[in-house]
Amino acid sequence: MLTQFQTTTTRAPLATASELDALGTLMVEDEAVVSDAPTYRPEAAGGLLLLGLLLLEPKQPKEKSR
């Protein structure tokens, strides 16, 4: 059984042209520009991981002297 719904739209605009432009600008901008939040930088995490691995690296075995 098919049911059809009729939708109605408002005739008055919900936002002005300047508000729509501001919304469009916010959607395009990078998040850090809008919120001052730090941007994710994967290379920084990789550098910290490499440093941690180098610090935890086991030492080379010493040769026994006779």
Side-chain angles (χ1 to χ4, degrees):
M1 182 164 43
L2 295 175
T3 306
Q4 293 182 353
F5 294 100
Q6 182 179 3
T7 59
T8 59
T9 59
T10 59
R11 296 182 185 216
L14 299 176
T16 64
S18 62
E19 291 172 338
L20 289 175
D21 288 340
L23 179 64
T25 303
L26 287 174
M27 292 173 66
V28 175
E29 290 291 330
D30 186 29
E31 182 180 349
V33 174
V34 177
S35 67
D36 272 346
T39 304
Y40 175 66
R41 297 187 54 191
E43 63 272 7
L48 289 174
L49 179 62
L50 179 62
L51 179 64
L53 289 174
L54 287 174
L55 291 174
L56 294 175
E57 180 181 31
K59 295 183 180 178
Q60 295 293 328
K62 295 181 183 177
E63 290 185 26
K64 292 185 178 180
S65 58
R66 295 183 183 207

